[in-house]
Amino acid sequence: MEGGRIRLQSDDGNLELEILEETVVNGVNYILVTDAPEGEDGTCYVMKDISAPEDEEADYVFAEGDEAESVMDVFAKMLEGEDITIER
């Protein structure tokens, strides 16, 4: 993670996402990311940190299902009043 962005590496190449917010739920670190440049509409994703406490770098995966929905609710409440609208 660097400067509000996170780079993901896959077999298809690199994907760079903008970090909108961070939170901790039940001891797990989550970030809310988007694929859109600032000021443009895009898709939001919830990612969770699965790295061990002793790891130097965070290891994020996409949260799924009920976990993603409940954490998205937390982010929606955190972003109330901001210039960000989360639609589902």
Side-chain angles (χ1 to χ4, degrees), residues 18-39:
E18 182 80 21
I19 300 170
L20 300 175
E21 189 61 80
E22 301 177 57
T23 193
V24 178
V25 177
N26 296 328
V28 178
N29 295 318
Y30 291 93
I31 55 175
L32 179 66
V33 298
T34 184
D35 58 358
E38 188 173 336

Side-chain angles (χ1 to χ4, degrees), residues 1 8 10 14 16 18-19 21 31 40 49-52 60-61 63 66-67 69 72-73 77 79:
M1 205 173 4
L8 306 176
S10 71
N14 293 332
E16 198 165 308
E18 182 80 21
I19 300 170
E21 189 61 80
I31 55 175
E40 294 185 22
D49 184 354
I50 60 167
S51 58
Y60 284 96
V61 296
D66 292 341
E67 176 185 32
E69 288 294 318
M72 187 67 80
D73 289 341
K77 288 178 184 166
L79 294 171

